[in-house]
């Protein structure tokens, strides 16, 4: 893989359990910045949601920075991130891989709040979302990438191994 431009602003998208946070931490460290988890922005500690206007406003403020790493889906506000991103990582992993990822996360955090402010919430609706992500959400994400991601280098990983290779490359380029 050859990177077209310097790594400065990275949007990471993918199903729950796909590894967005792990990859985001690595890239943020290489860039000398912090990672923003959109779940921690969108939900408070009792899982109450922000209004869409406020959520969009916060993202406009976040992407105005020269360097950032933001992980999260939120297709409704994805164009905000795409318009400023230099690189987009789309983790389009199989449902079984993502379900294993959330099982590992559950084991690691034992439920409750992660160190990044995100709460570990696994319920039947979340499992169904993960199982159907590639059929329902992935096509929508691909459409948004095609419509709004023209100025970013789009990097798609369909396996953990491919995701790790992309991350290694981005880390080297960011330093």
């Amino acid at each position: 893989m050859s990177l077209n431009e310097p790594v400065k602003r990275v949007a990471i998208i993918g199903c729950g359990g796909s590894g967005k946070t792990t990859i985001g931490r690595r890239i943020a460290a290489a860039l000398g910045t912090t990672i923003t988890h959109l779940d921690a922005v969108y939900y408070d500690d009792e899982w109450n949601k922000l209004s869409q206007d406020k959520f969009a406003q916060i993202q406009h403020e976040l992407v105005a920075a020269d360097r950032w790493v933001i992980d999260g889906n939120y297709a409704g506000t994805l164009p905000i991130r795409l318009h400023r991103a230099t690189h987009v990582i789309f983790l389009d992993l199989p449902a079984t891989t993502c379900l294993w990822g959330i099982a590992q996360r559950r084991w690691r955090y034992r439920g409750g709040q992660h160190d990044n402010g995100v709460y570990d919430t696994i319920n039947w609706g979340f499992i169904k979302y993960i199982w159907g992500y590639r059929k329902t959400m992935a096509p929508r994400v691909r459409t948004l990438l095609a419509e709004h991601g023209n100025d970013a280098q789009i990097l798609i990983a369909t396996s953990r191994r491919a995701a790790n290779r992309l991350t290694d490359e981005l880390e080297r380029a960011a330093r």
Side-chain angles (χ1 to χ4, degrees), residues 140-151:
R140 185 171 177 204
V141 168
R142 288 180 186 280
T143 298
L144 289 167
L145 290 172
E147 291 173 356
H148 301 282
N150 297 332
D151 295 330

Side-chain angles (χ1 to χ4, degrees), residues 10 20 54-56 71 84 101 117 127 150 157 173:
V10 182
K20 295 182 301 291
K54 181 68 175 167
F55 188 49
D71 88 30
R84 286 275 298 147
I127 291 169
N150 297 332

Side-chain angles (χ1 to χ4, degrees), residues 91-102:
L91 300 173
D92 189 15
L93 306 184
T96 52
T97 302
C98 296
L99 288 169
W100 178 245
I102 65 165

Side-chain angles (χ1 to χ4, degrees), residues 87-109:
H87 296 79
V88 177
I89 299 173
F90 177 31
L91 300 173
D92 189 15
L93 306 184
T96 52
T97 302
C98 296
L99 288 169
W100 178 245
I102 65 165
Q104 290 177 308
R105 182 170 65 203
R106 172 61 90 165
W107 177 257
R108 183 179 308 117
Y109 294 105

Side-chain angles (χ1 to χ4, degrees), residues 43-60:
Y43 296 102
D44 67 16
D45 58 359
E46 295 178 4
W47 282 94
N48 297 308
K49 300 174 184 177
L50 279 181
S51 72
Q52 286 299 314
D53 289 342
K54 181 68 175 167
F55 188 49
Q57 176 191 345
I58 290 170
Q59 285 184 70
H60 281 292

Side-chain angles (χ1 to χ4, degrees), residues 63-174:
V63 302
D66 185 48
R67 290 179 180 263
W68 49 260
V69 176
I70 300 173
D71 88 30
N73 284 305
Y74 300 96
T77 58
L78 182 55
I80 295 168
R81 288 167 270 141
L82 294 178
H83 285 295
R84 286 275 298 147
T86 58
H87 296 79
V88 177
I89 299 173
F90 177 31
L91 300 173
D92 189 15
L93 306 184
T96 52
T97 302
C98 296
L99 288 169
W100 178 245
I102 65 165
Q104 290 177 308
R105 182 170 65 203
R106 172 61 90 165
W107 177 257
R108 183 179 308 117
Y109 294 105
R110 307 277 196 272
Q113 187 175 21
H114 302 200
D115 57 356
N116 60 21
V118 177
Y119 281 80
D120 188 19
T121 299
I122 299 173
N123 56 37
W124 184 243
F126 187 50
I127 291 169
K128 287 187 341 187
Y129 170 78
I130 290 170
W131 192 255
Y133 184 89
R134 281 182 127 181
K135 185 175 182 179
T136 57
M137 281 303 298
R140 185 171 177 204
V141 168
R142 288 180 186 280
T143 298
L144 289 167
L145 290 172
E147 291 173 356
H148 301 282
N150 297 332
D151 295 330
Q153 185 165 3
I154 309 295
L155 308 165
I156 299 173
T158 57
S159 70
R160 290 253 188 253
R161 181 174 290 155
N164 285 325
R165 281 194 305 263
L166 284 175
T167 305
D168 291 344
E169 181 78 19
L170 284 166
E171 281 179 313
R172 283 192 294 276

